Structures are given as C-alpha cells and as structure tokens.
Amino acid sequence: MTSRASLLNFTLIKENFKRFWPIMAGGLAFWLICGPIALMISRSNGGYDYSVMKSVLTHLNPAPIMLNILLPVALAVACFSYLQKSNSAGVMHAMPFSRASLFVSNYVSGLVLAILPAAVITVFLLLMRGGVEIPTWDWSPTYVTGTRILRFLLEEFTVVSFVYSIAVFAAVISGLGVIHALTAVALNFICPAVFLLMMGYMDIYEYGFTAGSLFEEFAMRMNPYMQILGGDGLSFTEVIVYLIVAAVIALLAFLLYRARYLEKAGESYVFRAAKYIIGFLMVLFASSLTGFIFHSEIGPAAYILGFVVGYIVSMMIINKSTKIFTKDCLLSGLIYALVIAAIVCVFRFDAIGYQKRVPDASRVESVEFWSSTVDLGMDGKYDTIEDPVNIEHVTNFHREIVSDKKNYLRDNYYFGSGDFDSHDATAGVTLRYALKNGRRVERTYTIPMSLLRKSEDMKAVWNSAENNGLLQSLDPFSAGNTEITLEGYTFDDNFNGATTWQNYDTDNLPMGTARLEEKQLLIEALKKDVRNIEYDSLFADYDYEPYINISLDCRIPVDPHEPEEYIDGAAWNYYDYNDKGEPIYNHIVLNINARKNYVNTMNALLQMDISGDLRTCVETILAR
Amino acid sequence: MINVKGLCKKFDDFQALNNLDLNVQQGSIYGLIGVNGSGKTTLIRHLTGILKSDCGTVQMDGQDVYDNIDIKQRLGYIPDELFFFGSYTLKAMGAFYKGLYANWDQDRFEAMVDDFGLPARGKLSRFSKGMQKQAQFILTMSCRPDFLILDEPIDGLDPIVRKKVWKYVVDDVAERQMTVLVSSHNLKEMEGICDAIGILSGGEMKIERDLDELKSDIHKVQAAFHSAEDAERAFKGLNVVHREKNGSVEHLIIRGPREDVEQAVYAADPIIFDMLPLSLEEVFIFEMGGENDDIQSILA
C-alpha cells in the first residue's frame, strides 16, 4: 500500500528488490568467492588464511576494488532507468507516487541492494574470524577482532553511499542509460581528475612547483573509494565527512529530480547547465591532455588540436547529433575556448603569483632544505633549518633563484624544471617551509650550479654552527656496525658525458672480510673530511670530476617492542626483523661522493685492500 | 470533472501548448482530436501529472493534478507508448498495481483477463502490441478509476476487441460516472461514443463543443434554383463557409441551426434541396482547413 505521508513507497521498494536482486546477487557471489570461499580454500594448513582476511578488511581485495564502483553504479542505472525513456518516465510518473516518494524509494532500494553483499560478507567474517590462523610475526592481530570487522562494514557503507549518491545524481541529470552509466563513473573521479589536471598545468608553467604529497593529501581524499585504496581505511571523522557529502549530493539530486523535465528523456543531458558544464569538462580534458603530451613536438598547436577533437566529440555526445556547427554549438565552443585560454594564461603568466611567492623569513618557523650539491648534514636527506639567521639566508637565496629565473632558463615558460644550456651543470634544490601559521610552502628547482656556488647566503648556512650540528649525523658510524660499498666514477674528456665506472658491492667487501682497522680508518678519514670541507670546495671542478661514492650502511640495534621510526625519505632508513617479525636493527644509510678535496679519505682508501680498478680511480682523483 | 485553464507549455523554442482551456463534465466521454503535432499527447501528459505546466492550471475535481497522489489514485492512464517492467507477467504486473491503487478490484482483473483471453502468466514482453494494449487496459480498468485518460487506446486492436474495450468504458461511465478523455484518430468510433469533442490545433483549443451540438451546427447542402437571383436570395443572411457550383447545382457548407437554413432555402423555392449533417471526420477536416480536395470529398 502507498503511504501518503511517507517518502518511502514500500510497494515500489519491494518491486525494485524483486527486479534487481540479480545484480546484487552477482556482486555477492563475487564477494563470496574473493572472501569467505577463498578463506575456506586456504584452510589446508588448519586455519583460514590471515592475508585473505586482511585483504578483505583493508578493501584491497579484488571484490571491493571492483564492486565498490560497479555495483552502486549498476544499481543506480537499474533503479533510475525509467527516467531515461519517454514511455517509462511517463507511466511511472502517472502512477500514484509523488516525485519525492519516487526518488526516495528508488534511492533507498538501490542503496540497500548495493550494501547488502558487504553486509553478508561481514556476517561471514564475524563467524569465521575465530578460525583465522594468526602468523607468528603479527603480535597485534587486529584483523580478526569484531570491532575491526564492523569498521570494515562502516567503511564499505561509506564508500558505497558516496559512489551511489553520485551515480544517482548522474541519473537525474542524464537522459540516456549509456550516458548515465558513463557519467556516473566519470563524476566519481571528476574532482581528483580536475585536481590532477591543475597540478599538470602547475608542473608545466609554474617554476618551482612540486606535486610532492599533494596527490595523497588532497586528490586521494576527494573520494573515499580512492582513499581506501591507500590501504589505511577511513577514520571516524572521515566517515562522517564522506557521509555528509554523500547526503548533500543525494539532496541535490533530489532537488534536481523535482525540477527535472521529463520530456527531455532520451536526450543526453536533461538540464541545460549540465550540458554546458559536462561539455566544457570534456573539451578541457581533451585540450589539456593533448597539449601536455604533444606540446614539446608541435607547440601550442597541440592544445588547439585537442580542443578541436574534444569539441567535435563532446558536441556529438551532448547533442546526440552530428550537427555540431550550429549557432548554439559554435557559441558554446567559443566560450569554452575563451575559458580554457584564460586558464592557460593564469598559469602561463603566473596570475596567482605562485612563482614569485617567497615566504618572509619572519613568518617561517623552519625550513627543510635539500640539495644534490650542498648537502647539509652530508646525509643525503632533508635537513631542518631552524636558526632564524639561517632561515633569512635561505629565503634570500630563494629570492635569488626566483629573480634570476629569466637569466638561466632558456625556455622559461614551459616545463618548470627549465631547459638549460647542455654545458651548464645543474643542481637540484628543494625547500619546504613550515610557516608559523601552520601552513606549508614547498618548492623544487633545478638551477645552474653557478647560482648555488656564488650564493653568499648558502655559504653562510654551510659554515654556520647549525650545520656543524647537522654533521653529527656521522657519529653513530663505526667499523663494527657499518657495511661499506664503494663505487668509483671517472669521466673521459668528452663533455658529452661519457663515463666509465666501477662498482664494488657487498660481494666485494662483505661484512667481516674487510679488516676492521681499514674500515675504521676510512670512516674516521671521512668524518674528518666532511667536517673540514669548505663551501667552495663543494663545487671545485665539480662538473666532470671523478669521484668515489661511499655508501655507509650503519646497523643500530633496536628494542623490538618499540614502534618503528622512519626517517624522512625511507630509502635511507630500513629495518631488519627476526623470525617473529620483530624489528631488531635500524639501518641508516649514507651516500657521500668523495672528490679530490676529500684528501684524508683518498689516502685512507689507498691504504685499504681495494681492487685495482678502484685504486686507479682514487689515483686519478688525487692526480687532478 | 476535468478543468484546464490557460495551459502553456514550451519545449525549448517550440510552443507546444498555448493558453489552452478544456472542460470535461463528470460522467462524460470527451474526444480529443487534432492533427499530428497539434499537442494532444502533451496535453494528456499534463492531465496525467507527468509534465509540469509553464503556466495555467490542470485540475480534477478542483484539485491540481501535478504531484497529487490523491488524484493519481483515482486516475487511470493508457499511454500511446506502453511500459511494463521487463520480464513481468500480467499477473505480476497486476500484483504491483494492487499494491499501488487503493481501489484495485482483483475480481474484475481476473474476470477481464478471462474475458479478453490473455495468458495471465505469460510474459508481457512477449505479447503482441495489441495484446499489450489489452493488458494495459485490463490493469487500468481494474483500478476502477474515476478519471480515465486514453491516448490512442484502440490503436492496433481488432474490431472485436475494440468493441469490447468501448463497452467496458461506456459501462463504467454509465455505472460509476467515470469521466473519460480519449484521444484517437479513429473519428468514426469517437463519433459513436463521445459526448463532447475538443479539436486541438497548433497547441490551441480550436473548438470545444458537445458533439451533437457541433454536428447540428454545420451542414452540407446541395440545391438548385430557377434562377441565380433565387440562389442568392436563398443564401443571403446564412453563414456560408464554403460554396461552389457544379452545373446548375450549388454545393455549400453552411454553419447555423438546421431550421434557419431550411427556412431560408425553402423561401427561395428550390428545384432540388438536400441537407445532410457533417460527420465528425468531415467537421474535423473542414475545421482543420483541409485542402480543396479534402473539402471536395466532404461535399461529394
């Protein structure tokens, strides 16, 4: 019976369940195969496989990866398919439903069917969790607790609600089944995609831009489906936020549904605004991506080519016609072109002032500095500068980079990394400011080596007491805990960069075979050279000078029950584990390029039992 | 009672309905006729609450139809283009209607299924177009609607079934005072059952009259007189809307009361005088401004 007061029409909901349960059943079958059945199959060793359990609960199993998108979209397409044809739209709206009850009943029935498979799987997991074989290395088996399994259901509900609400929104604005399905998928990823597109423009035009962790921090968080693919699940706050956003999207869809023109069923999009916005997005992506890919070959014409192709395709799709040169189409095409040109100009001419923006030193709390050449701390890692005087020097140097840009970038508008004279050696510099107001500013530059070499500001930072402190990072290294790898690099006289090199890996100098005295000699010599090295000598005949790359892998015992602590840049820091999976050693790896100004190091190497090729390399360095 | 006042609807740049008025008395059958594209289906989709008007009102028993569940509970609609849930049988569709309509009459449904000889457990998607139309008619009539809107209801039906359909409709009108609006191109059948007629043209209601009144108001006349002067005297003062002469015989279409026409013609002492009412089809062709050939066929 129809309840006149209620937004829910249970007759319609029941009918939807009767009609669309096979879609849900297909999803459930796939879920069962990838979850409970996979667990049962794995039971040969006496218990259910923990890794299967973990993959399901972290949503990194094939079932959630595929079904969290496909199932909500398919059910939204099914439940709202009546909107996409004139006859079905007419008959359904002539029946005793209000528009509100028709929308809400269809929305609810699709949502229930979409979440049902995950709910059934949750019951299975709760029943099976007692039989899961917990591996010995996992001393905190969180993936078999009831709370964790219920959290999985909450996360699934969040993702499915979000994706489904967007798919329903797509149903309301579209007028064809195929267009509805495509729009539903596209709209789910439109925000991250636009974000990535803008990052692409920033990367090309904004000198100093670095994407850094922006994608993880922002783009991935624009959609819970993408965020859970990161493997960390969703926090309770994130669940609340995503559910609110899903509710807002559903509300917007509801309002649009009430205003929907049923006579437009059969057209690609039923709202004029939707036509223009979606058409614009299609043209924007076609133009931008073609421009990004082919600009280096054919210049700005790449954008125009992409625009023309995007315009033709989008107009055909949106108007469901090959007549795409009508007055209306051409006018919208002209507006699209102007908007896209404006976007390109904003980045090309730095209308947002991104390139010139250097934080005032007084507003900076600290700055993390990294350079391939001026390696503060000599540890290959980002080093944090907190001394206000040094911060002032760094910001001065930063201003120098920005103001000198035109002098050293040959093509100073395309590709932020710049295009340098091939005979001019370059250096990489990254600056990460932590401002006092909590904001962060990050820039990455490739600059001429000469700019860094001549910088009095960076010289002052290098010679500062703060940097001397940073160099203490070499202190833990000793012959007893350090494994050494040597690589010799020599260059021929050809400035085109032909090189010969020799590599001495751990097979050549395995732990214990090298004399401890020799290793200690090398480490002490290295420490001495590093602490005495002059700023100017960092650049002495830098370009094509031979050098020895010395890699020091220091192994420090750790408390197995202490949480693992990684230094920024995990490549320099890793752990060894015992049979129980407990961490026993923390490794810190340093790479130092020793050149001819490392006199003590070179002499120490000559006293060691090194290979003939490497010895020749050392002698070459000393002879220059 | 169905009342439409000042109804307007525009599709992009196309004015589909323009300041349209329509009145259907309770317990009557109203025939809506018009050429293709005149706005009949658009009007019907407003009457059934599918489309929202740009201006004007659409009411049944004094209540707005749009988004009104109470009215829709009392409204039966058979569209030109049918729609059933995929893979549903007639019986399953009946069960769905039963859950929706408060006045659903299960006995009538079963009786009508038997009467029309349709397989209740057969899939509707496998029915022929005519069978689907019958199935929709059965479903709609089993709701016992107070208002019945039919868009080309007998299109694709054989004469026996058509007769049966009209019988059900007429019986419900007689027994329950059901109000019916029917749109059809089969004017001969409309002429047989309709109480009133609305002729739609270019989105406007051109004529809306009681059918008998409409037919008694326009006549085709054949007459011959002793002289041309007599002929002129006979038709002077009458509303002659079409006139032509074939030899000595005058062929005319005259609007006005039958008695007035007879009186005027007889006063001129005609040699030949024959007066016939126009059929609905002829009225329609004439009112729609048919080409000369069409008028010739009416007068023939």
Side-chain angles (χ1 to χ4, degrees):
Chain A
M1 261 305 296
T2 305
S3 168
R4 288 176 192 173
S6 171
L7 289 173
L8 292 175
N9 185 301
F10 291 104
T11 303
L12 182 58
I13 292 173
K14 193 179 84 181
E15 221 59 35
N16 279 341
F17 286 168
K18 272 170 68 179
R19 294 167 66 201
F20 304 128
W21 71 265
I23 300 173
M24 183 278 296
L28 177 60
F30 191 58
W31 254 119
L32 287 170
I33 291 166
C34 296
I37 292 173
L39 279 172
M40 283 181 212
I41 291 170
S42 72
R43 208 177 177 181
S44 55
N45 293 333
Y48 300 127
D49 190 341
Y50 184 76
S51 63
V52 175
M53 189 85 171
K54 188 175 174 181
S55 76
V56 172
L57 293 181
T58 52
H59 316 275
L60 296 176
N61 183 288
I65 289 172
M66 291 173 68
L67 294 178
N68 282 348
I69 280 286
L70 294 181
L71 202 56
V73 169
L75 282 162
V77 169
C79 287
F80 288 87
S81 60
Y82 67 92
L83 280 177
Q84 321 299 359
K85 283 184 180 167
S86 171
N87 60 338
S88 50
V91 168
M92 291 300 286
H93 285 85
M95 284 180 173
F97 305 112
S98 65
R99 282 205 173 198
S101 69
L102 204 47
F103 176 86
V104 174
S105 303
N106 281 313
Y107 180 88
V108 168
S109 39
L111 183 60
V112 170
L113 287 171
I115 195 61
L116 213 51
V120 172
I121 294 303
T122 303
V123 174
F124 270 102
L125 296 182
L126 285 169
L127 294 173
M128 296 171 86
R129 71 191 172 101
V132 173
E133 189 183 17
I134 299 166
T136 52
W137 49 264
D138 196 329
W139 48 272
S140 177
T142 53
Y143 293 106
V144 291
T145 64
T147 313
R148 183 64 187 80
I149 293 170
L150 290 175
R151 182 184 147 190
F152 155 79
L153 181 59
L154 181 65
E155 289 171 346
E156 278 294 312
F157 178 72
T158 306
V159 175
V160 167
S161 302
F162 194 93
V163 174
Y164 180 73
S165 294
I166 291 177
V168 169
F169 179 85
V172 175
I173 63 168
S174 58
L176 276 176
V178 177
I179 294 289
H180 173 200
L182 293 173
T183 307
V185 174
L187 286 185
N188 263 290
F189 298 103
I190 193 66
C191 289
V194 170
F195 187 84
L196 281 177
L197 197 72
M198 293 304 118
M199 287 215 300
Y201 275 112
M202 292 286 281
D203 193 42
I204 287 171
Y205 290 117
E206 302 290 10
Y207 183 55
F209 174 77
T210 175
S213 57
L214 284 175
F215 184 74
E216 289 80 6
E217 285 181 12
F218 294 101
M220 293 282 278
R221 286 166 182 263
M222 289 175 174
N223 184 321
Y225 173 78
M226 289 178 68
Q227 191 175 345
I228 61 167
L229 290 182
D232 294 331
L234 305 172
S235 70
F236 186 69
T237 310
E238 286 166 339
V239 165
I240 298 293
V241 170
Y242 285 130
L243 287 178
I244 289 172
V245 173
V248 169
I249 293 168
L251 180 66
L252 192 60
F254 171 73
L255 295 174
L256 286 175
Y257 186 93
R258 292 178 62 126
R260 183 185 160 104
Y261 298 105
L262 292 182
E263 62 267 27
K264 301 257 183 179
E267 294 187 14
S268 296
Y269 294 100
V270 297
F271 292 99
R272 201 180 276 258
K275 273 187 179 183
Y276 292 136
I277 293 169
I278 288 170
F280 171 73
L281 287 172
M282 289 169 80
V283 175
L284 175 68
F285 275 94
S287 171
S288 303
L289 294 178
T290 313
F292 292 173
I293 295 167
F294 297 109
H295 185 281
S296 53
E297 280 81 28
I298 58 176
Y303 288 98
I304 297 166
L305 179 69
F307 177 87
V308 171
V309 172
Y311 169 81
I312 292 170
V313 173
S314 70
M315 288 298 162
M316 282 184 180
I317 291 173
I318 283 169
N319 296 310
K320 247 181 81 182
S321 166
T322 51
K323 292 179 181 173
I324 56 168
F325 297 107
T326 61
K327 189 180 166 189
D328 192 38
C329 288
L330 290 171
L331 181 64
S332 47
L334 178 67
I335 294 168
Y336 294 167
L338 291 174
V339 175
I340 292 170
I343 290 172
V344 174
C345 285
V346 163
F347 291 109
R348 162 70 180 83
F349 298 106
D350 192 25
I352 53 176
Y354 180 91
Q355 297 184 50
K356 294 171 192 150
R357 199 175 303 141
V358 177
D360 190 272
S362 62
R363 292 173 53 227
V364 177
E365 185 76 43
S366 65
V367 55
E368 287 180 292
F369 180 88
W370 177 88
S371 169
S372 55
T373 309
V374 180
D375 184 5
L376 304 175
M378 298 303 291
D379 51 4
K381 296 182 291 195
Y382 285 89
D383 292 294
T384 304
I385 297 166
E386 293 172 324
D387 183 344
V389 177
N390 280 341
I391 289 173
E392 181 85 40
H393 285 307
V394 171
T395 54
N396 287 343
F397 174 61
H398 190 175
R399 276 190 205 90
E400 206 177 338
I401 293 174
V402 171
S403 59
D404 267 14
K405 186 187 75 167
K406 282 182 185 168
N407 295 332
Y408 56 79
L409 280 182
R410 191 173 60 190
D411 179 0
N412 64 1
Y413 67 86
Y414 199 75
F415 290 111
S417 57
D419 186 6
F420 299 93
D421 189 308
S422 59
H423 293 290
D424 190 0
T426 59
V429 173
T430 296
L431 301 157
R432 291 177 180 167
Y433 296 97
L435 304 185
K436 287 174 181 169
N437 61 9
R439 286 188 56 223
R440 294 180 67 83
V441 174
E442 183 170 354
R443 297 287 187 275
T444 292
Y445 301 100
T446 303
I447 57 172
M449 191 72 76
S450 55
L451 193 70
L452 195 55
R453 186 186 313 184
K454 290 172 192 167
S455 171
E456 290 299 319
D457 286 299
M458 287 315 298
K459 188 175 182 178
V461 174
W462 177 264
N463 292 327
S464 68
E466 189 176 32
N467 188 40
N468 199 35
L470 292 172
L471 292 172
Q472 304 302 317
S473 60
L474 286 170
D475 287 352
F477 290 77
S478 69
N481 66 7
T482 303
E483 196 171 296
I484 300 172
T485 305
L486 302 171
E487 290 179 53
Y489 290 83
T490 57
F491 299 86
D492 60 17
D493 292 334
N494 188 342
F495 275 175
N496 287 325
T499 60
T500 58
W501 56 275
Q502 297 170 314
N503 183 4
Y504 294 83
D505 59 21
T506 50
D507 291 335
N508 296 90
L509 286 173
M511 192 82 161
T513 56
R515 286 193 299 248
L516 284 178
E517 299 79 29
E518 287 182 1
K519 288 173 66 175
Q520 193 61 38
L521 181 70
L522 179 64
I523 290 168
E524 291 305 324
L526 201 56
K527 287 178 179 179
K528 196 174 176 183
D529 281 337
V530 163
R531 285 178 179 138
N532 290 334
I533 201 160
E534 295 290 327
Y535 183 77
D536 291 336
S537 64
L538 291 172
F539 307 94
D541 295 321
Y542 191 96
D543 292 1
Y544 299 99
E545 277 291 303
Y547 64 93
I548 304 288
N549 175 265
I550 303 168
S551 174
L552 306 172
D553 186 341
C554 172
R555 200 170 64 165
I556 302 167
V558 292
D559 180 348
H561 298 105
E562 285 295 314
E564 294 175 19
E565 200 174 335
Y566 285 92
I567 300 167
D568 191 11
W572 307 102
N573 177 211
Y574 66 93
Y575 281 83
D576 278 342
Y577 302 91
N578 61 17
D579 292 342
K580 294 178 182 174
E582 297 166 339
I584 49 174
Y585 290 112
N586 180 14
H587 287 255
I588 302 170
V589 181
L590 292 187
N591 274 290
I592 294 173
N593 292 336
R595 300 174 192 278
K596 73 175 184 181
N597 49 333
Y598 283 69
V599 177
N600 294 306
T601 303
M602 294 303 151
N603 286 329
L605 283 168
L606 288 177
Q607 291 175 48
M608 291 167 66
D609 184 19
I610 57 175
S611 72
D613 289 340
L614 193 58
R615 185 173 296 278
T616 305
C617 180
V618 173
E619 287 168 353
T620 306
I621 293 168
L622 287 172
R624 289 177 74 98
Chain B
M1 194 166 175
I2 301 172
N3 296 104
V4 176
K5 208 166 189 181
L7 183 64
C8 307
K9 185 69 181 179
K10 204 170 184 180
F11 298 138
D12 294 328
D13 295 330
F14 175 67
Q15 187 75 44
L17 298 177
N18 187 19
N19 197 27
L20 186 141
D21 292 345
L22 175 142
N23 293 284
V24 185
Q25 297 301 317
Q26 187 181 348
S28 69
I29 301 176
Y30 185 103
L32 186 66
I33 58 179
V35 295
N36 294 328
S38 59
K40 296 189 299 295
T41 298
T42 304
L43 173 60
I44 284 175
R45 286 164 81 88
H46 279 89
L47 290 170
T48 47
I50 298 167
L51 299 183
K52 193 174 185 180
S53 63
D54 295 339
C55 66
T57 56
V58 179
Q59 295 186 327
M60 290 184 182
D61 281 355
Q63 295 182 57
D64 286 331
V65 176
Y66 186 77
D67 227 17
N68 186 334
I69 296 180
D70 291 334
I71 288 294
K72 285 182 177 180
Q73 274 286 346
R74 299 167 58 199
L75 177 68
Y77 170 47
I78 299 182
D80 186 22
E81 292 179 309
L82 302 172
F83 167 71
F84 302 107
F85 294 147
S87 80
Y88 264 43
T89 63
L90 177 54
K91 189 179 176 189
M93 208 67 201
F96 175 58
Y97 271 63
K98 186 180 177 182
L100 285 182
Y101 288 92
N103 293 332
W104 175 261
D105 186 336
Q106 184 65 25
D107 292 340
R108 183 177 213 195
F109 173 71
E110 287 167 10
M112 285 183 77
V113 170
D114 283 345
D115 191 19
F116 280 86
L118 294 178
R121 294 179 188 277
K123 282 190 176 178
L124 288 160
S125 56
R126 292 185 183 166
F127 280 16
S128 69
K129 192 184 170 192
M131 288 166 78
Q132 287 186 347
K133 207 104 191 185
Q134 292 171 58
Q136 183 64 64
F137 182 72
I138 293 169
L139 289 165
T140 305
M141 293 302 282
S142 299
C143 298
R144 290 206 172 273
D146 292 334
F147 306 98
L148 182 64
I149 311 292
L150 307 168
D151 194 357
E152 299 290 350
I154 52 169
D155 189 26
L157 299 182
D158 64 61
I160 299 168
V161 175
R162 289 212 304 256
K163 199 172 171 187
K164 204 177 281 183
V165 164
W166 290 131
K167 183 180 179 305
Y168 273 102
V169 171
V170 171
D171 285 353
D172 268 26
V173 170
E175 288 169 17
R176 302 191 295 109
Q177 291 289 291
M178 181 172 73
T179 307
V180 181
L181 183 140
V182 55
S183 155
S184 175
H185 286 113
N186 192 329
L187 302 187
K188 280 182 183 161
E189 290 199 16
M190 296 273 273
E191 194 171 1
I193 63 152
C194 287
D195 300 307
I197 288 292
I199 299 179
L200 212 55
S201 175
E204 294 177 5
M205 187 61 79
K206 198 159 186 179
I207 295 172
E208 186 182 55
R209 299 276 283 280
D210 184 272
L211 183 60
D212 292 337
E213 194 183 318
L214 178 70
K215 288 170 68 178
S216 65
D217 196 45
I218 191 160
H219 322 276
K220 55 180 175 184
V221 171
Q222 289 181 23
F225 296 91
H226 296 287
S227 64
E229 290 74 26
D230 289 344
E232 290 308 316
R233 184 158 47 88
F235 302 124
K236 190 178 178 183
L238 293 177
N239 186 5
V240 177
V241 290
H242 185 84
R243 182 177 179 180
E244 62 185 57
K245 198 170 181 182
N246 191 0
S248 58
V249 181
E250 299 264 7
H251 298 268
L252 304 99
I253 295 176
I254 302 173
R255 205 190 287 278
R258 181 184 180 88
E259 298 74 27
D260 293 355
V261 177
E262 282 176 340
Q263 198 176 357
V265 174
Y266 280 128
D269 189 20
I271 303 167
I272 303 168
F273 176 49
D274 190 15
M275 184 163 78
L276 293 170
L278 262 62
S279 69
L280 180 59
E281 195 167 351
E282 289 167 335
V283 171
F284 177 72
I285 292 170
F286 183 72
E287 294 293 351
M288 289 296 99
E291 295 297 314
N292 207 37
D293 287 349
D294 300 324
I295 304 288
Q296 290 291 335
S297 69
I298 295 172
L299 295 173

